[in-house]
Amino acid sequence: MKTLFARAAACILIVSGVAFAEPLPLPGKIVDFRSVDGQRILAESRFWSAGYGRLSAVFETQKTQSYCGVASMVMALNALGAPAPVTPPYGPYAVFTQDNILDARTDAIRPRDTILMRGMTLDQLGGIASLYPVDVAVHHAGDETVESFRTAAVKRLASGDAVIIVNFLRTALDDEHGGGHFSPLGAYDEKEDRFLMLDVARYKYPPAWVKTADLFAAMNTADPDNEGKTRGFAIISRRAAAPNAPAQ
Amino acid sequence: MKTLFARAAACILIVSGVAFAEPLPLPGKIVDFRSVDGQRILAESRFWSAGYGRLSAVFETQKTQSYCGVASMVMALNALGAPAPVTPPYGPYAVFTQDNILDARTDAIRPRDTILMRGMTLDQLGGIASLYPVDVAVHHAGDETVESFRTAAVKRLASGDAVIIVNFLRTALDDEHGGGHFSPLGAYDEKEDRFLMLDVARYKYPPAWVKTADLFAAMNTADPDNEGKTRGFAIISRRAAAPNAPAQ
């Protein structure tokens, strides 16, 4: 009932061509990061999340409604301080953007116009990220358990040397709007067993604390665009040795 | 000496066309938000900064190197949940962007092509923000003191119903690169008397904790583009009454 009302309210607001710059309400089991509870969980979680500072500092909105994977990769590479291209409009400063991360090399994995129309799969995200001087490990949820996901993600979050990008089905998380989606995880709270999802669709949902079991269930869904393989997560980490090849 | 070395190192990295996606090092008296100390200060500061969650959730990079004022206003309006336009590529969702905040009405205050070339002054930022259904108060540092600035900013940050945008001279803050700049403040830490500056030039500097006195001194500088008036700060706050006019 609450959801129906929220949806009706959103429609009424949108009819006028103007609506409040306020994301949609989250399902009850998800905690809005901006709320009093959301901020309390952040304070509780800090010893588990050395990477929070670096990732929140580069939080950005996906450039189009199909660019969730692109935005998530840009956040990961910038948070890890990977060698970045110097391109307009930011030269002489080096930074990854959703405009300079895709090129002829990445087109061989997934052409830019296809990403613009339909996004990408978890394996394609892993393939594109692997073209940059970082270490990439792709994990399909069907090959994992809630426990193995939690253990792997918490360990890397705590170290601060890796970014976890999750690929999940929004409707399986009880979100009303959307299909497959990517976003990076910013922190973990042991007390509530929740991950902070820095949702790159910021025009739609705010950052939120999601229960590990709920998140895993939403990752453990078949992706029809990926030969029915399950969604899952990618661990993108700083390469130990100095990079030998330029990023672009 | 440290600064000279850092500058030389940055030049060497940039010569190759690739550099690490890592902002410039901050002057010693400024604390990097991403550091262990920076995260500790955030934990200490939370009771002073109800607005941190809302503002950090909409943190974004200025779209061009002259768009610091535009990006700061977009963050303020989104953080406050002001009535926003529904525009591509995010329709049917409503959100302010650096592409939809400027229009023919704002051109009357500062034409878009002039902002693109030269940015804007504090008074122009106040004028443009006032076209939206929020309350705007512009304060020139020359009319204020460190104490009056601290009191006003802390009170509004703590309430979470306003965003403080500061306009300051980078070189007066000991930053080596840049002139006049805008960015919003995300939090305040009483113990160290520092504000968290969510610097929108994220390709150049990370978010950082700045001493109140240092920040005020950098605001209390004459802006030659604004008839020699001092820089300062704008308080953009949620309007108490329901908005009557659409934003666009």
Side-chain angles (χ1 to χ4, degrees):
Chain A
M1 194 60 201
K2 190 180 163 194
T3 304
L4 278 175
F5 173 73
R7 205 192 297 176
C11 291
I12 290 165
L13 285 169
I14 287 166
V15 160
S16 68
V18 148
F20 291 89
E22 186 62 37
L24 299 174
L26 290 160
K29 65 185 180 182
I30 296 177
V31 178
D32 189 328
F33 170 77
R34 307 165 305 164
S35 68
V36 172
D37 273 352
Q39 294 291 288
R40 174 185 53 76
I41 298 174
L42 178 69
E44 288 170 6
S45 80
R46 65 199 167 96
F47 299 110
W48 292 91
S49 50
Y52 169 75
R54 294 193 70 83
L55 199 64
S56 69
V58 298
F59 193 10
E60 66 180 69
T61 305
Q62 60 188 88
K63 193 188 163 190
T64 74
Q65 294 196 37
S66 62
Y67 258 43
C68 51
V70 180
S72 297
M73 277 192 289
V74 165
M75 284 179 62
L77 293 170
N78 283 331
L80 297 172
V86 175
T87 58
Y90 300 125
Y93 306 104
V95 69
F96 286 99
T97 71
Q98 294 176 61
D99 291 313
N100 71 20
I101 196 175
L102 302 179
D103 56 21
R105 296 180 313 153
T106 66
D107 281 348
I109 293 168
R110 179 82 155 174
R112 276 166 280 192
D113 54 0
T114 310
I115 294 174
L116 196 57
M117 294 296 292
R118 302 183 53 199
M120 64 179 75
T121 68
L122 177 61
D123 289 309
Q124 286 159 350
L125 180 138
I128 291 173
S130 298
L131 295 174
Y132 288 93
V134 287
D135 289 327
V136 180
V138 167
H139 299 263
H140 290 277
D143 303 327
E144 304 283 337
T145 62
V146 177
E147 290 70 29
S148 70
F149 161 64
R150 182 193 296 109
T151 301
V154 169
K155 181 181 164 195
R156 304 314 295 265
L157 274 171
S159 77
D161 66 355
V163 172
I164 318 293
I165 295 175
V166 291
N167 176 215
F168 63 101
L169 185 65
R170 273 208 194 275
T171 46
L173 206 58
D174 277 6
D175 288 343
E176 287 289 317
H177 301 254
H181 191 54
F182 288 101
S183 281
L185 301 178
Y188 175 74
D189 176 53
E190 190 186 29
K191 192 171 159 196
E192 299 211 1
D193 192 21
R194 290 179 187 265
F195 283 99
L196 173 61
M197 185 186 296
L198 294 178
D199 196 324
V200 293
R202 297 196 292 185
Y203 48 86
K204 192 153 73 170
Y205 286 111
W209 292 100
V210 185
K211 284 275 190 191
T212 304
D214 295 337
L215 178 57
F216 187 79
M219 295 194 294
N220 200 11
T221 49
D223 182 357
D225 289 331
N226 198 16
E227 301 169 354
K229 284 193 277 188
T230 51
R231 297 180 178 85
F233 57 102
I235 302 177
I236 301 182
S237 51
R238 201 170 283 143
R239 196 167 279 178
N244 295 315
Q248 185 171 294
Chain B
M1 191 61 201
K2 191 179 161 193
T3 305
L4 278 174
F5 173 74
R7 204 191 299 174
C11 291
I12 290 165
L13 284 170
I14 288 165
V15 160
S16 69
V18 149
F20 292 88
E22 186 62 39
L24 299 174
L26 289 161
K29 64 185 180 183
I30 296 177
V31 178
D32 189 328
F33 170 78
R34 307 166 306 164
S35 68
V36 172
D37 273 350
Q39 294 292 288
R40 174 185 53 76
I41 298 174
L42 178 68
E44 288 171 5
S45 79
R46 65 199 168 96
F47 300 110
W48 292 92
S49 49
Y52 170 76
R54 295 192 68 85
L55 200 63
S56 70
V58 298
F59 193 11
E60 67 180 69
T61 305
Q62 59 188 87
K63 193 187 161 191
T64 74
Q65 294 196 37
S66 62
Y67 258 43
C68 50
V70 181
S72 298
M73 277 191 290
V74 166
M75 285 180 61
L77 293 170
N78 282 332
L80 297 172
V86 176
T87 57
Y90 300 124
Y93 307 103
V95 68
F96 286 98
T97 72
Q98 294 175 60
D99 291 313
N100 71 18
I101 196 176
L102 302 180
D103 56 22
R105 296 179 312 152
T106 66
D107 282 348
I109 293 169
R110 179 81 155 175
R112 277 166 279 192
D113 53 1
T114 310
I115 294 174
L116 196 57
M117 296 296 292
R118 303 184 53 196
M120 64 179 73
T121 68
L122 177 61
D123 289 308
Q124 287 159 350
L125 180 138
I128 291 173
S130 298
L131 295 174
Y132 289 93
V134 288
D135 289 327
V136 180
V138 166
H139 299 263
H140 290 276
D143 303 327
E144 303 284 337
T145 62
V146 178
E147 290 69 31
S148 70
F149 161 63
R150 183 193 295 109
T151 302
V154 168
K155 181 181 164 195
R156 304 314 295 264
L157 274 170
S159 77
D161 68 354
V163 172
I164 319 293
I165 295 175
V166 291
N167 176 215
F168 63 100
L169 185 64
R170 274 209 192 274
T171 46
L173 206 58
D174 277 5
D175 288 343
E176 287 290 317
H177 301 255
H181 191 55
F182 288 101
S183 280
L185 300 178
Y188 175 74
D189 177 52
E190 190 186 29
K191 192 172 159 195
E192 299 213 0
D193 192 21
R194 290 178 187 267
F195 282 99
L196 173 60
M197 186 186 296
L198 293 177
D199 197 323
V200 292
R202 299 196 290 186
Y203 48 86
K204 192 153 75 169
Y205 285 111
W209 291 99
V210 184
K211 284 275 189 191
T212 305
D214 295 337
L215 177 58
F216 187 79
M219 295 194 294
N220 199 12
T221 49
D223 182 356
D225 288 332
N226 199 14
E227 301 168 355
K229 283 193 278 188
T230 51
R231 296 181 177 84
F233 57 102
I235 302 177
I236 301 182
S237 51
R238 201 170 284 141
R239 195 166 283 178
N244 294 316
Q248 186 169 294

